[in-house]
């Protein structure tokens, strides 16, 4: 008999007693559990293990995909023709809207420029494909075929052709995990299109979503469309999310119970878009950046203003000395920017004078006034 | 005289490589995306429990823990959920292995039902504690499909250890 590859059973090498081993491994598992839920430093371990599991997952998913494709292949010519027809008419419809939308966008930017408002959020989109549904029966997640290497980041919204379906929660180098809207732990900030009411939408775990913490007399009607509000600074505002299907008010409870049906195919989408904001997020204004003169009690102190005025003037003087403009315009610039500094309690008119009075040397003046104007 | 239980057939010793390969195949089978179809058997638990019963000195709680972490990551579950369940499953099947081997494969499958049920319950309790949603009673279907696969797996995984039957009347056993 060939002994090659066979090891003798370890009769004498038994190691720890099984109960001790059990205790150790249970303790390890519980440590993992707590570490994963309470602290986030386990994500590196997760990333590492994914390198091992992802090829296996792809190997397992490919035959299933193949079987589905074969079924599609024999679907028949008529179905395909019908689908082609539908897609063509869809495209015409979309093209009509697209043509108008580019013109509207142009108009919007101009109007916003006239009104001196911030630019609208620019959207960046990554097309992705849902690879498969994650097999965790306790949550609702899907796996996308694009990951960190393609620019997917945690927190981005995921939408199909009609509406939002979820949010990217974990990103791996080659794939990403999306928590669907219907997941029990998923919450997104929304706004009701008709009334402009802000709310937070939660999944219920059963395919529907729920608007929570809205007063019982809130202005919500059945059929209202719900859009993303973008107030979290992550989602793109204005994406359609859901439609209210039931708004019941119970006198016994202080909050109304509002159930919504997601517009997008949350449980059944194949191709999706990962939508994010292009460009860096505006930083959250901290208390001091909001108004340097504001004390913790909310009162504006006069003393602070007196201190800040000379500092601003010296900054202006420094910037003016570097600029190579004529003497008359420099004098104008100094007078305008000193006006801006002394009128810092009223930033808007001061800024306007700075812009109007100094067309030549507006650069140094603007460099002083922009932090106030963007408040 | 030896008792005439089914396990008395003398088998070749198992190859460690075969155990590893069978576990990897079980992992791949477990990763086949099936959507929300709960009756899919837990192949990893099945093969792990099988080797814990047949070879308790080679496959045990360490293997169970590693496999559990891998499955946790692949499923996007909470880290440690499957690890805990598989470690408990490995412990109970190792402890029961001496007893189980005296039974026929069918009876062994019946014995395994409570163990698989326990591992599923552990996962359910862990997830409900951390705020998951209850997936419905069909979640427990998987226990029974897993146990039902015990017999075919018992047959398939023991094939490499089978010795060709050569009858020799002069041989003592």
């Amino acid at each position: 008999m060939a002994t090659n590859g066979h090891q003798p059973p370890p009769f004498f090498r038994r190691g720890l007693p099984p109960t001790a081993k059990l205790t150790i491994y249970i303790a390890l598992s519980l440590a993992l559990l707590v570490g994963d839920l309470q602290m986030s430093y386990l994500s590196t371990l997760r990333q590492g293990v994914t390198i091992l599991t992802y090829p296996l997952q792809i190997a397992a998913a490919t035959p299933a995909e193949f079987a589905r494709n074969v079924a599609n292949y024999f679907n028949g010519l008529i179905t395909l023709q019908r689908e082609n027809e539908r897609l063509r008419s869809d495209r015409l419809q979309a093209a009509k809207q697209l043509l108008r939308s580019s013109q509207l966008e142009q108009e919007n930017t101009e109007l916003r420029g006239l009104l001196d408002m911030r630019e609208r959020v620019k959207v960046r989109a990554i097309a992705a494909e849902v690879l498969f549904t994650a097999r965790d029966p306790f949550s609702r997640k899907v796996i996308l075929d694009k990951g960190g290497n393609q620019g997917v980041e945690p927190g981005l919204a995921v939408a199909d052709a009609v509406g939002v379906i979820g949010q990217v929660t974990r990103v791996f180098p080659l794939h990403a995990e999306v928590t669907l809207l219907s997941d029990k732990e998923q919450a997104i900030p929304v706004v009701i299109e008709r009334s402009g009411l802000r709310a937070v939408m939660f999944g219920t775990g059963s395919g529907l979503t729920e608007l929570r913490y809205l007063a019982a007399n809130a202005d919500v009607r059945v059929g209202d469309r719900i859009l993303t509000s973008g107030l979290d600074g992550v989602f793109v505002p204005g994406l359609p999310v859901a439609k209210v299907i039931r708004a019941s008010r119970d006198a016994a409870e202080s909050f109304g119970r509002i159930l919504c049906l997601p517009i997008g195919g949350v449980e059944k989408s194949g191709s999706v878009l990962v939508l994010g904001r292009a460009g860096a997020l505006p930083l959250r204004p901290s208390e001091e950046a909001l108004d340097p003169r504001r004390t913790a009690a909310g009162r504006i102190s006069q003393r602070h203003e007196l201190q800040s005025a000379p500092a601003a003037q010296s900054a202006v003087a420094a910037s003016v000395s570097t600029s190579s403009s004529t003497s008359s315009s420099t004098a104008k610039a100094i007078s305008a920017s000193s006006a801006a500094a002394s009128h810092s309690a009223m930033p808007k008119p001061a800024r306007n004078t700075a812009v109007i009075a100094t067309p030549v040397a507006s650069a140094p003046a603007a460099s002083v006034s922009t932090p106030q104007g963007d408040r | 005289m030896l008792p005439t239980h089914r396990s008395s057939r003398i088998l070749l010793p198992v190859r460690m490589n075969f155990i590893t390969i069978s576990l990897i195949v079980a992992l791949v089978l477990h990763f086949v995306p099936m959507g929300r179809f709960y009756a899919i058997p837990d192949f990893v638990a099945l093969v792990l429990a099988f080797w814990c019963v047949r070879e308790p000195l080679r496959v045990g709680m360490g293997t169970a823990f590693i496999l559990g972490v891998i499955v946790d990551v692949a499923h996007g579950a909470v880290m440690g959920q499957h690890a805990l369940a598989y470690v408990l499953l490995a412990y109970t099947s190792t402890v029961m292995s001496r007893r189980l081997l005296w039974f026929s494969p069918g009876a062994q499958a019946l014995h395994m039902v409570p163990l698989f049920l326990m591992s599923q319950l552990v996962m359910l309790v862990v997830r409900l504690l951390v705020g998951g949603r209850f997936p419905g009673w069909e979640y427990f279907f998987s226990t029974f499909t897993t146990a039902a696969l015990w017999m075919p797996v018992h047959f398939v995984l023991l094939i490499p250890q089978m010795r060709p039957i050569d009858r020799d009347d002069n041989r003592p056993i």
Side-chain angles (χ1 to χ4, degrees):
Chain A
M1 191 182 74
T3 53
N4 167 15
H6 296 149
Q7 295 167 351
F11 283 118
F12 305 107
R13 188 169 54 79
R14 290 294 175 89
L16 286 172
T19 19
K21 269 194 196 167
L22 179 71
T23 320
I24 291 170
Y25 283 119
I26 284 184
L28 263 177
S29 310
L30 291 179
L32 272 184
L33 263 173
V34 175
D36 194 30
L37 292 169
Q38 302 292 325
M39 292 154 266
S40 55
Y41 58 78
L42 274 182
S43 63
T44 35
L45 175 63
R46 213 178 255 277
Q47 300 270 352
V49 178
T50 320
I51 295 170
L52 202 77
T53 56
Y54 189 61
L56 291 184
Q57 277 181 295
I58 291 300
T62 313
E65 180 89 356
F66 179 72
R68 212 167 42 206
N69 285 345
V70 166
N72 275 347
Y73 184 76
F74 292 110
N75 227 347
L77 204 61
I78 298 168
T79 333
L80 279 180
Q81 266 177 348
R82 208 169 292 153
E83 193 182 327
N84 211 340
E85 200 76 13
R86 191 175 55 78
L87 285 177
R88 207 168 288 167
S89 70
D90 275 4
R91 216 192 80 194
L92 272 178
Q93 288 266 332
K96 195 177 74 189
Q97 280 178 356
L98 210 68
L99 284 172
R100 266 178 65 71
S101 98
S102 64
Q103 188 243 331
L104 284 176
E105 202 159 299
Q106 180 72 28
E107 192 179 305
N108 191 316
T109 6
E110 279 168 19
L111 286 174
R112 273 176 177 268
L114 282 179
L115 281 174
D116 224 6
M117 278 165 80
R118 254 174 55 83
E119 286 264 321
R120 260 195 92 81
V121 182
K122 287 227 170 55
V123 179
R124 124 187 107 92
I126 304 161
E129 197 84 26
V130 174
L131 276 181
F132 44 81
T133 315
R135 253 191 65 181
D136 188 20
F138 303 97
S139 58
R140 305 237 163 184
K141 288 177 183 164
V142 292
I143 309 292
L144 294 188
D145 65 341
K146 296 278 165 68
N149 288 357
Q150 284 87 13
V152 178
E153 287 163 23
L156 298 188
V158 178
D160 67 356
V162 274
V164 176
I165 62 162
Q167 186 176 19
V168 177
T169 40
R170 282 196 193 113
V171 174
F172 303 100
L174 293 176
H175 63 293
E177 199 181 277
V178 175
T179 305
L180 297 175
L181 284 186
S182 48
D183 189 272
K184 200 182 151 205
E185 311 234 300
Q186 180 64 20
I188 66 169
V190 292
V191 61
I192 292 159
E193 193 181 29
R194 184 176 54 78
S195 57
L197 195 69
R198 288 189 303 275
V200 184
M201 197 168 77
F202 288 81
T204 56
S206 63
L208 295 179
T209 57
E210 190 182 9
L211 289 182
R212 281 191 214 163
Y213 316 124
L214 273 184
N217 59 355
D219 185 12
V220 182
R221 285 185 216 148
V222 173
D224 278 356
R225 230 158 65 111
I226 294 169
L227 312 177
T228 51
S229 68
L231 282 181
D232 52 352
V234 180
F235 270 46
V236 180
L239 300 173
V241 181
K243 212 161 222 156
V244 177
I245 54 165
R246 206 169 74 210
S248 56
R249 283 158 183 104
D250 194 347
E253 290 176 28
S254 50
F255 296 124
R257 185 170 166 75
I258 299 156
L259 279 179
C260 317
L261 184 71
I263 294 175
V266 166
E267 303 282 339
K268 57 174 181 230
S269 40
S271 311
V272 294
L273 281 176
V274 182
L275 297 169
R277 293 173 180 236
L281 276 176
L283 281 178
R284 243 190 139 67
S286 65
E287 276 300 310
E288 282 131 70
L290 207 70
D291 193 336
R293 295 160 298 127
R294 202 173 281 274
T295 59
R299 253 183 243 120
I300 292 177
S301 63
Q302 296 295 319
R303 189 166 40 89
H304 206 108
E305 187 191 3
L306 292 176
Q307 283 172 355
S308 68
Q313 263 175 350
S314 66
V316 170
S319 62
V320 163
S321 66
T322 55
S323 69
S324 59
S325 49
T326 59
S327 60
S328 62
S329 64
T330 319
K332 268 188 198 164
I334 288 175
S335 65
S337 43
S338 61
S342 60
H343 283 83
S344 60
M346 294 180 289
K348 196 87 183 176
R351 186 184 162 206
N352 285 347
T353 48
V355 171
I356 293 163
T358 63
V360 181
S362 62
S367 72
V368 175
S369 57
T370 37
Q372 299 163 357
D374 274 5
R375 194 178 298 166
Chain B
M1 188 179 166
L2 280 173
T4 54
H5 60 81
R6 297 284 291 271
S7 310
S8 73
R9 181 163 178 185
I10 295 174
L11 298 169
L12 293 174
V14 67
R15 285 170 187 265
M16 201 58 204
N17 289 347
F18 181 69
I19 296 182
T20 320
I21 289 169
S22 68
L23 285 173
I24 290 175
V25 168
L27 272 177
V28 171
L29 281 178
H30 200 47
F31 292 162
V32 172
M34 284 296 186
R36 309 241 164 260
F37 183 52
Y38 289 135
I40 302 292
D42 188 343
F43 292 103
V44 179
L46 179 65
V47 175
L48 176 75
F50 178 80
W51 289 123
C52 283
V53 168
R54 298 296 311 193
E55 302 287 331
L57 296 180
R58 292 177 198 268
V59 177
M61 284 169 260
T63 322
F65 182 76
I66 294 167
L67 284 174
V69 170
I70 291 176
V71 172
D72 278 336
V73 170
H75 280 195
V78 178
M79 205 81 131
Q81 170 199 327
H82 281 87
L84 184 63
Y86 287 171
V87 164
L88 281 170
L89 176 69
Y91 172 74
T92 38
S93 31
T94 311
V95 167
M96 281 180 73
S97 79
R98 296 283 172 80
R99 202 175 107 78
L100 267 182
L101 285 177
W102 290 79
F103 291 97
S104 69
Q108 287 180 11
L110 276 181
H111 277 87
M112 292 313 286
V113 170
L115 302 197
F116 292 134
L117 197 64
M118 175 205 65
S119 75
Q120 292 241 298
L121 261 178
V122 166
M123 287 195 261
L124 184 71
V125 167
V126 164
R127 286 312 289 270
L128 290 187
L129 278 182
V130 304
R133 93 196 159 92
F134 182 65
W137 293 108
E138 58 265 33
Y139 170 69
F140 290 106
F141 277 172
S142 145
T143 299
F144 300 101
T145 47
T146 312
L149 276 185
W150 182 269
M151 276 193 285
V153 162
H154 184 273
F155 177 74
V156 170
L157 290 185
L158 286 185
I159 285 176
Q161 300 180 49
M162 296 286 186
R163 220 201 275 258
I165 298 169
D166 53 338
R167 303 206 173 277
D168 184 353
D169 295 333
N170 300 321
R171 199 168 59 194
I173 49 174

